[in-house]
Amino acid sequence: MHLHGGPAPVRRFLSDLVRRIWDREIDPGRVFDLSLLLEEAAEGYAAMGERRSIKVFLTL
C-alpha cells in the first residue's frame, strides 16, 4: 500500500466551497478551528505557524 500526496487544486474548488458556506449548505466549523476578523489575518497565520490552529476562518 502506498500513500501519495501533492498540492491541492484549491483554486478549482474554492469559489464553490465559499458559496456553499455562504448559503449555509455546509458547516465550515467542521473544517476551520479558529475564526478571526479579516484584520486579524496575521494572527491567523501565526496561529497556524505555531500549530495552535489547523485552519482559520476570516470574517468581515
Side-chain angles (χ1 to χ4, degrees):
M1 181 182 292
H2 297 282
L3 176 64
H4 296 276
V10 175
R11 293 184 190 272
R12 179 177 172 191
F13 301 106
L14 187 60
S15 62
D16 181 53
L17 288 173
V18 169
R19 181 195 57 78
R20 289 175 185 224
I21 292 168
W22 189 259
D23 292 342
R24 301 199 187 279
E25 292 177 25
I26 60 174
D27 178 10
R30 297 196 177 265
V31 177
F32 301 98
D33 59 356
L34 178 62
S35 293
L36 297 171
L37 295 173
L38 182 59
E39 53 266 14
E40 298 173 303
E43 169 59 27
Y45 278 102
M48 289 185 291
E50 297 165 1
R51 303 296 189 246
R52 292 184 285 122
S53 177
I54 296 171
K55 291 286 183 184
V56 177
F57 186 72
L58 299 174
T59 61
L60 296 177

